[in-house]
Amino acid sequence: MIERLLVTGGAGFLGSHLCDRLVDAGHDVLCVDNFFTGSRRNVAHLLRRSNFELMRHDVTFPLYVEVDRIFNLACPASPVHYQHDPVQTTKTSVHGAINMLGLAKRVKARILQASTSEVYGDPEQHPQTEAYWGRVNPIGLRSCYDEGKRCAETLFFDYHRQHRLDVKVARIFNTYGPRMQPDDGRVVSNFIMQALKGEDITIYGDGRQTRSFCYVDDLIGGLLALMDSPDGLTGPVNLGNPGEFTMLELAEKVLNLVGGRSRIAFHPLPQDDPRQRRPDITLARAELNWAPRVGLDDGLRETVDYFRRTWLDAA
């Protein structure tokens, strides 16, 4: 069935890939973005499609449109961007959630919240299951994002309980792929751009901290599966790749792909940087029949090719 779908943050890294899939499926897609971290170039190829519409709008202000489903992806997701204006980051998560939930309530739309593995903070449980409540510093440099997303989850479940709103909550773990910003401060884009430019590869701490990396195509498949799941599955549902790598291992993989003469340079670990992060995706496997398919080597190869084509000359 063809539906009218709203994607907030739709010109961003994840949002633009989601818009691609929805437009190709024949849905009418309204992409909303304030272009703080999103870019028109990410969706420029969709502007000629008759079932795609782009609107400049900030979700901290109400939006009055008629839609069947809402994907709420609006919020800067990298430390560089969300720490640039931490008050606005919290507003985007909290006021944005309130406004989108209010819209969903008015038009009786199903709404999906793009939450984050950052709700787990620096976890004491490893790997992290959805039942884990997290270990988050509420007054730290990362708390504008971590606590903003935690509050957004609270709002989603309160709207579900109080107003019987049809909600879905996805906890997204580290995701990478084409259309990442070259200067967004995320580890994959940092390592690739540094290697392409022959600069030192910057590793914070001793490099033994771990992350899990999910290729963007896999992640979008998980979001779509969750949105289409039965009413009883509200989430939260972890979406990510359970493969776990140290920062040193990731740096070595990037250097092997790019080549060159870059060396590894160690710097002090930032405040509240998690030591471990890996999703338990048992729930997603069982309820969504979803699991990532793209391995890190293959995904990095695609991502390096994208950065080389798109950003190297400009850099």
Side-chain angles (χ1 to χ4, degrees), residues 117-275:
S117 62
E118 296 297 332
V119 301
Y120 298 123
D122 190 3
E124 298 162 303
Q125 180 191 96
H126 190 75
Q128 294 80 57
T129 67
E130 292 86 352
Y132 178 55
W133 290 356
R135 178 173 174 260
V136 176
N137 177 0
I139 60 171
L141 294 175
R142 304 168 69 100
S143 60
C144 59
Y145 185 68
D146 300 2
E147 295 287 36
K149 288 289 191 176
R150 285 163 70 94
C151 185
E153 287 196 13
T154 299
L155 286 162
F156 265 69
F157 280 92
D158 283 340
Y159 265 79
H160 173 66
R161 287 184 288 259
Q162 186 172 339
H163 301 296
R164 298 184 180 179
L165 197 64
D166 189 1
V167 305
K168 308 284 181 179
V169 175
R171 288 180 177 163
I172 299 171
F173 283 68
N174 288 51
T175 305
Y176 70 99
R179 299 184 196 157
M180 296 183 78
Q181 297 263 6
D183 57 352
D184 68 2
R186 301 188 217 198
V187 65
V188 172
S189 52
N190 276 0
F191 284 5
I192 290 175
M193 288 302 295
Q194 288 168 341
L196 287 172
K197 292 189 287 184
E199 299 173 351
D200 287 345
I201 302 295
T202 303
I203 288 183
Y204 296 98
D206 60 11
R208 296 178 185 176
Q209 65 270 37
T210 65
R211 295 292 186 273
S212 300
F213 302 99
C214 187
Y215 191 62
V216 62
D217 289 354
D218 285 333
L219 190 281
I220 298 304
L223 292 178
L224 293 172
L226 179 57
M227 179 61 96
D228 290 338
S229 64
D231 293 349
L233 181 63
T234 57
V237 177
N238 287 339
L239 295 178
N241 193 317
E244 187 176 12
F245 299 89
T246 68
M247 296 301 94
L248 283 170
E249 288 173 329
L250 177 66
E252 289 168 359
K253 286 180 179 294
V254 170
L255 287 172
N256 287 337
L257 281 171
V258 174
R261 300 180 178 180
S262 295
R263 297 180 179 180
I264 293 175
F266 294 91
H267 292 262
L269 195 68
Q271 181 187 24
D272 300 328
D273 191 64
R275 294 291 304 176

Side-chain angles (χ1 to χ4, degrees), residues 2-13:
I2 303 302
E3 294 183 300
R4 174 77 165 165
L5 307 178
L6 168 63
V7 181
T8 71
F13 165 48

Side-chain angles (χ1 to χ4, degrees), residues 20-73:
D20 282 347
R21 295 276 283 270
L22 297 174
V23 168
D24 287 344
H27 297 294
D28 291 322
V29 177
L30 173 59
C31 169
V32 166
D33 207 294
N34 69 351
F35 302 113
F36 175 59
T37 57
S39 171
R40 290 180 184 272
R41 70 182 294 164
N42 287 341
V43 293
H45 61 288
L46 293 174
L47 293 175
R48 63 181 179 270
R49 302 286 291 270
S50 62
N51 57 332
F52 178 80
E53 180 181 355
L54 177 62
M55 176 189 295
R56 184 171 192 144
H57 180 80
D58 189 321
V59 296
T60 61
F61 297 95
L63 180 64
Y64 301 100
V65 293
E66 302 298 321
V67 293
D68 301 305
R69 291 185 173 188
I70 301 167
F71 292 85
N72 187 37
L73 275 63

